[in-house]
Structure formats: structure tokens, C-alpha cells
Amino acid sequence: MRIDGISAVVTGGASGLGLATARRLVSLGAKVVLADLKGSPGAEAAAELGSSASFVPADVTDTESLNAALDAAERNGPLRALVHCAGRGGDRMRILNRDRTPGELDSFAEVLRINLVGTYNALRLAAARMAANDELVDGDRGACVLTASVAAFDGQIGQTSYTASKAGVHGITLVAARDLASWQIRVNTIAPGIFDTPMLGRLREDIREGLAASVPHPKRLGDPAEFAHLATDILANPYLNGQTIRLDGSIRMAPR
Ligand SMILES: NC(=O)c1ccc[n+]([C@@H]2O[C@H](COP(=O)([O-])OP(=O)(O)OC[C@H]3O[C@@H](n4cnc5c(N)ncnc54)[C@H](O)[C@@H]3O)[C@@H](O)[C@H]2O)c1
């Protein structure tokens, strides 16, 4: 699907991988709505990206605010692309604490609510808009890119909730592509390795350096622009569907 001139929504667009993707979409000629939390720096991000970008405060688990972001995108033209980057890290938690008490349930459920239920919500609401597009662009009514993580495949000890949420995103990718095929809407997922974003910026420098050194090649953290590149390539390539693509410098996470 050509990107020049399309209308797109990027959730989590105020920061990190989402912001880099919004920047690339704008550079390729798309009009982009950044959908991110009210307290995020979304307005500043949109201002920096120029007149082709705007910010709508939205929580991906909240249908009303997400629909407001989709309405704003449709004012730019028929919605053709969703890049869903909104998400949170997991709380480091063992299944059993040292004293043999079970890990906390509420935190597990909250990570799933934001990362997995939020993904389904963004997917279903965006797909509803795309399905109403009368015209196809290069054979598509629309295309969606979701964000999992390599933790979906090699989750580390303490990452049960995050891994479950991201494995869920990977799991719905093929079924969503099959489900939405009759509407000519493609769905693919990127499973990033370790990227240099504010989410990782919260880690200590020596831990970041250790993570970078653990990547086989190239021996560094991923650049958000590299994620953005893949996201727009996926949108552009009409034959890519139902696939989760690891973007990770061939890293396989160790148990801890
Ligand atoms: N950075 C990495 O190394 C890495 C690796 C694997 C997967 N990921 C995934 O990539 C995605 C983006 O991560 P990032 O590194 O850019 O993080 P980030 O913290 O820089 O950006 C995440 C954005 O999502 C927004 N967000 C959080 N909850 C939201 C909600 N309920 N509704 C709307 N917006 C919400 C945040 O406000 C933030 O702007 C996440 O899903 C993350 O799990 C990141």
C-alpha cells in the first residue's frame, strides 16, 4: 500500500518506537494522528513533526477516547494504517516469592489489560473504520502493525505478565489476518529486541551497556528509526500478512 497521502494512527505515538514511526510516516507523506495518554508529551511530539501530525489524548483501553483519535484521523482522509505501539513494561515478579507465597495477581492482570486488551481494542476499532473504506489502495482497504516483543518467545524469569501479554499479541496476529482478510485488511506484528527508547532509558547505564553487548550483531541497542523502517515496509508490502517479524539483531534472551 502506498503511504504517500494516506491517513494513519500511531498509538503510543508520543514516545519511542511510536514517535519514530510517526516521524517516518510523515516523511513518506502520510497524515498521522498520535494517540497517546493525556499526560504524555504527545502535543509537543506532534508540533515537532509539523502540520501533517496531530495529537489526540487517548487510552488504548478506553473505547471512547480511542474512537476520538480515529475520528480525527478520518478527518484527514479514509483511515488506511494503524501502527499500535502503546504498551507498558511488566512488573518484575516471580510466580513464587522467596517465602513461597504466590506472586501478585492484580499486577499480572493490569499488564494484560494494557498490552493485550489494549491491542485488541485498537485493532477492532481501527479495522471497523478501514472496513468502511470503499476504495482499495494497492489491493488493501487498510493495514495494521502491532507490537509484540522477543519476550513473547524467550521471556525471562520475572517477566510472566509481559511475556503473556506479548505472546498474546503474537497469537492474535495470524487469526486477525485471517479474520480480516475478507475486508482486505492486513495484520502483521513486529517483535522488537532491545531498542533505545525511554522505556529502556529507565534502566541503569551499566545494565543498558550489558544489554547492548548481549546482541550478537550489530552489538548495540536497536534504533527506533529501524523499527519505524520495518513498520512502514510492512504497510507498503501488499503480500506480507499474518506474520510476526523479530527485529532483534538475532538476540535470544537468556533465562535471566
Ligand atoms: N524498547 C524496547 O526495547 C521494546 C522491546 C520490545 C517491545 N517493546 C514494545 O514496544 C512498544 C513501544 O515501546 P517503547 O519502547 O517505544 O516505549 P515508550 O515508553 O517510549 O512508549 C510507549 C508509549 O505508549 C504510551 N502508552 C502506555 N500506555 C498507554 C495506553 N494505555 N494508552 C495509550 N498510550 C499508552 C506511553 O504513554 C508511551 O508514550 C511497547 O508495546 C513495548 O512493550 C519495546
Side-chain angles (χ1 to χ4, degrees), residues 66 110 113 133 142 144 179:
L66 204 46
E110 179 62 7
R113 192 178 72 84
N133 294 339
C144 305
D179 195 341

Side-chain angles (χ1 to χ4, degrees), residues 198-208 211:
M199 192 179 265
L200 241 77
R202 293 190 272 274
L203 296 178
R204 281 201 331 256
E205 189 54 34
D206 57 321
I207 296 178
R208 284 162 50 89
L211 286 171

